[in-house]
Amino acid sequence: MDKPIRVLHVVAAMNRGGAESFIMNVYREIDRKKIQFDFAVTAEQECHFDKEIKELGGKIIKHPNPSKYGINQFLNELKKTIINGQYRVIHSHVHNFSGFIMKLGKKLGVPVRLAHSHSTQDGKSNSLPRILYRWYTKKLILKYSTHLPGCSKAACEALFGSKCWEDKRTIVIPNAINIELYKKLYNVEDNYLREELQIPKNVPLIGHIGSFSKPKNHEFLIDIFQSYNKRITDSHLLLVGDGELKEQIVNLVKLKGLEKNVHFLGVRSDVPKILNSIDLLLFPSLYEGLPTVLVEAQTAGVPCVVSNTITREVDLGAGLIKFVDLDDNLNNWLSEINGSITIKRPEWNTRFYALQKHGFDLKKVISTLESIYV
């Protein structure tokens, strides 16, 4: 029997995040007898998805962090990985840095090379060195990639340029999800989370799911909730995730005296159940590509109040997304929360057809990726 095609995904770390969750959604459902995934990472510690990847037949291959050890040392080790693994597909998810990986892949004769855009920004300030870096790496991406996928139109234009649609290599691959996980929970009243946290059934429960990092704008999120909690004192906020800014946000919550109403749940594997338990998802991000969790929330029927910096492509048209300008005052945010939190969850068929219409059906996305890989 022929061996499966092995795809080398280049990522920083396989912790739970939007891009990583998307890759795992695909990996779990793809025909692994035909296609197998390996992961070139720079994380030194074990990450959230590492164990599952190994159980699915994939490899975690550690490489020196280019920020710490230099680009050349990273590329030298990646070169060894590509040659030893005889990879015919490299799928890179590291934004501008993908340019160096695409160039190396071309040099080593890798026939299929994807530079995948998952965000509209790289999160760095506009210094002269950074501007030159973006210009140079974009040139590398456009010169050496065989495919230019992005999670949204905005994400494609951010990395590949506003004229990317004139290039046949450009393709939007939505952050699709496993619909069946949410179908099973339809009409299921699940109070286990409220019981776990001792939160009464009839009090407002707001949630946020995402890494504690600058783009997620947790400080403003806490400001919004503090104002909401002053009006509705028995309201609660769930924060799901981990990250470098978590301790800072924990201290901020203590400073504002909100410890009894804000719950830090850490990284969780039961996101569908969490979404099924909350009344509203609050998402005031500074920038995003196309947040998978907002697709998941709409599939669960959860109303979402989000910042206007997030692409409108995330709205499935089920009446569950409200956009608020980040520069608006807190009263406008509170008004949208009050108007959204009582929205009746749409029927399952409405959600299902909205997902399919907007291309978030996982089976369709897997079919697209299989045709690229093979």
Side-chain angles (χ1 to χ4, degrees), residues 177-186 299 348 352 363:
I177 63 170
N178 189 335
I179 299 173
E180 291 301 315
L181 295 176
Y182 294 87
K183 186 177 181 181
K184 290 176 184 176
L185 295 173
Y186 179 62
T299 309
W348 174 254
F352 178 73
K363 291 179 181 178

Side-chain angles (χ1 to χ4, degrees), residues 42-91:
T42 56
E44 296 176 357
Q45 74 282 6
E46 184 173 358
C47 298
H48 180 80
F49 289 121
D50 286 5
K51 183 180 178 182
E52 183 181 0
I53 287 168
K54 292 172 185 175
E55 290 172 350
L56 293 172
K59 301 172 186 174
I60 301 290
I61 308 164
K62 295 185 183 295
H63 294 74
N65 190 320
S67 298
K68 187 175 180 181
Y69 299 101
I71 292 175
N72 288 336
Q73 191 166 340
F74 168 81
L75 291 176
N76 286 336
E77 291 301 314
L78 184 63
K79 178 180 178 180
K80 294 176 187 176
T81 297
I82 294 169
I83 292 171
N84 292 336
Q86 297 181 324
Y87 292 101
R88 293 182 53 79
V89 183
I90 297 178
H91 194 156

Side-chain angles (χ1 to χ4, degrees), residues 134-189:
R134 290 175 188 145
W135 170 81
Y136 178 64
T137 51
K138 177 184 171 183
K139 284 190 69 174
L140 294 181
I141 287 171
L142 296 179
K143 184 174 181 179
Y144 295 112
S145 302
T146 60
H147 297 79
L148 301 172
C151 63
S152 66
K153 290 180 179 178
C156 285
E157 291 176 7
L159 188 57
F160 313 134
S162 58
K163 295 182 179 179
C164 64
W165 307 111
E166 298 171 11
D167 192 325
K168 292 181 180 179
R169 295 174 297 171
T170 305
I171 180 174
V172 173
I173 300 180
N175 289 349
I177 63 170
N178 189 335
I179 299 173
E180 291 301 315
L181 295 176
Y182 294 87
K183 186 177 181 181
K184 290 176 184 176
L185 295 173
Y186 179 62
N187 274 342
V188 174
E189 186 175 347

Side-chain angles (χ1 to χ4, degrees), residues 68-311:
K68 187 175 180 181
Y69 299 101
I71 292 175
N72 288 336
Q73 191 166 340
F74 168 81
L75 291 176
N76 286 336
E77 291 301 314
L78 184 63
K79 178 180 178 180
K80 294 176 187 176
T81 297
I82 294 169
I83 292 171
N84 292 336
Q86 297 181 324
Y87 292 101
R88 293 182 53 79
V89 183
I90 297 178
H91 194 156
S92 181
H93 306 268
V94 285
H95 210 65
N96 284 90
F97 194 78
S98 293
F100 296 108
I101 295 158
M102 296 296 99
K103 182 180 180 181
L104 178 64
K106 172 67 174 177
K107 182 180 178 181
L108 296 177
V110 178
V112 182
R113 305 177 300 277
L114 298 84
H116 202 134
S117 179
H118 292 279
S119 183
T120 55
Q121 291 188 33
D122 61 6
K124 307 292 184 181
S125 59
N126 289 323
S127 64
L128 181 58
R130 176 55 53 172
I131 291 169
L132 291 173
Y133 170 82
R134 290 175 188 145
W135 170 81
Y136 178 64
T137 51
K138 177 184 171 183
K139 284 190 69 174
L140 294 181
I141 287 171
L142 296 179
K143 184 174 181 179
Y144 295 112
S145 302
T146 60
H147 297 79
L148 301 172
C151 63
S152 66
K153 290 180 179 178
C156 285
E157 291 176 7
L159 188 57
F160 313 134
S162 58
K163 295 182 179 179
C164 64
W165 307 111
E166 298 171 11
D167 192 325
K168 292 181 180 179
R169 295 174 297 171
T170 305
I171 180 174
V172 173
I173 300 180
N175 289 349
I177 63 170
N178 189 335
I179 299 173
E180 291 301 315
L181 295 176
Y182 294 87
K183 186 177 181 181
K184 290 176 184 176
L185 295 173
Y186 179 62
N187 274 342
V188 174
E189 186 175 347
D190 204 336
N191 293 310
Y192 87 102
L193 198 57
R194 288 178 182 264
E195 291 171 2
E196 175 187 325
L197 301 172
Q198 297 182 329
I199 299 172
K201 283 178 65 174
N202 60 339
V203 304
L205 185 55
I206 295 171
H208 180 275
I209 300 173
S211 63
F212 285 83
S213 56
K214 180 183 175 182
K216 301 303 181 186
N217 206 11
H218 277 86
E219 286 191 19
F220 186 51
L221 174 71
I222 299 302
D223 286 344
I224 297 170
F225 178 71
Q226 182 184 33
S227 295
Y228 183 78
N229 185 252
K230 284 179 179 177
R231 299 184 184 186
I232 303 178
T233 55
D234 58 356
S235 59
H236 288 257
L237 173 67
L238 307 181
L239 298 176
V240 180
D242 203 352
E244 67 271 15
L245 298 181
K246 183 176 180 179
E247 186 176 350
Q248 179 180 320
I249 301 305
V250 169
N251 291 333
L252 179 64
V253 167
K254 290 179 181 177
L255 185 66
K256 291 179 178 289
L258 294 168
E259 303 101 304
K260 292 182 180 179
N261 297 81
V262 179
H263 309 269
F264 294 85
L265 302 190
V267 176
R268 303 278 293 230
S269 58
D270 55 348
V271 169
K273 284 191 171 185
I274 289 173
L275 288 170
N276 202 44
S277 303
I278 65 176
D279 299 310
L280 180 133
L281 191 74
L282 183 58
F283 219 75
S285 294
L286 296 173
Y287 57 88
E288 294 277 355
L290 193 152
T292 306
V293 70
L294 292 183
V295 178
E296 293 176 305
Q298 291 172 90
T299 309
V302 179
C304 307
V305 176
V306 310
S307 57
N308 66 325
T309 57
I310 296 171
T311 176

